[in-house]
Amino acid sequence: MSVRLLRKPTPGTAFVFGGGGNLGAVQVGMLQALFEAGVVPDVVIGCSVGALNAAGLAADPTAAGVARMREIWAHLDADSLWPAGRISGLWMLGRKGQAIQPNTGLRGLVERTLPYYRLEDAAIPVHVNATSLRTGRGHWFTSGPAVDAILASAALPSVFPPVFIAGEPYIDGGVVDNVPISRAVALGARRVFVLHVGNFERPRQLPRRPIDVLLQSFSIARNHRFLAETDDPPEGVDLVVLPAVDPGRIRRNDFSRSGELMDRAYAVTREFLTGHRSAAVARS
């Protein structure tokens, strides 16, 4: 029987994966706890690194599939993903061209992660977003070449080059919707689990350099929509925002702590889900 025949027109449970670069390892730990608790998605929705994790899970939405994702994250080679090394010095941003480095390493990672070519060939529906550099509007990919769609969703401005799809240049989906909860609601999901790696409290330090102000402002802008949507959740939807873990000071190109982050996220999520289940029973 074709996989597509098993798809529900209206999903019951949606997993929403936000962006967050190398902190995407946190989402894998969250997934381990979710599947251990018997929580399985009908649809996955992702942005940036969350698009990679969503598409990876959609290939095999089982505990075994999550274990495979953990193996990939545990052995990521930072040098191949970030050949330019540290993002440092304004001179790099002033060079000619559209990015400070190619996306060759990232493309290789996506190709190794996905066993399917087109998004519609995944075991469950997968939605990934990107931002049109020409119009400034968000765009959703649900079919077509999967690698290109994920590269577009993860094209961090100035770091990775825009990705052209059907003649349109796309950059990181997080520019307009970093944690796309509204997409799950629009699809009619009744239960939405949000895997946002930035869902932790930490006072923001006062920036010391202009580049720090720029990066912190971008971070605030990316998180604003998430805060607005979770402060006023939609009626009739069980919105479950999983707690993340504070990674402390970590460079954006440091993947050496992926194992630790996955373990910590698993423990925190498992404890949270136990409490969430108990609260749900008490309300019923």
Side-chain angles (χ1 to χ4, degrees), residues 157-183:
S158 80
V159 176
F160 293 121
V163 176
F164 283 78
I165 299 177
E168 188 80 3
Y170 292 100
I171 57 174
D172 199 312
V175 172
V176 294
D177 196 358
N178 191 48
V179 189
I181 297 170
S182 58
R183 181 68 172 184

Side-chain angles (χ1 to χ4, degrees), residues 65-122:
V66 176
R68 178 176 178 272
M69 293 174 64
R70 182 184 174 96
E71 245 338 85
I72 291 172
W73 271 96
H75 295 93
L76 281 183
D77 178 7
D79 291 335
S80 66
L81 291 176
W82 298 83
R86 277 182 62 199
I87 302 175
S88 62
L90 288 175
W91 69 270
M92 298 183 73
L93 298 177
R95 296 187 308 174
K96 288 186 178 181
Q98 297 178 325
I100 63 176
Q101 65 184 45
N103 62 9
T104 311
L106 183 58
R107 176 179 287 275
L109 170 62
V110 177
E111 290 175 344
R112 293 194 304 273
T113 302
L114 301 186
Y116 54 87
Y117 175 71
R118 299 180 66 84
L119 288 173
E120 63 267 33
D121 292 331

Side-chain angles (χ1 to χ4, degrees), residues 33 36-37 267-281:
E36 184 180 276
V268 168
T269 305
R270 182 178 60 178
E271 181 180 358
F272 171 83
L273 291 173
T274 299
H276 179 73
R277 243 187 341 259
S278 299
V281 171

Side-chain angles (χ1 to χ4, degrees), residues 20 28 31 46 50 107 110 122 126 142 148 168 186 194 203 207 227 263 266 273:
V28 180
L31 287 174
R107 176 179 287 275
V110 177
V126 53
T142 59
D148 287 345
E168 188 80 3
V194 181
L227 294 175
D263 290 341
Y266 165 74
L273 291 173

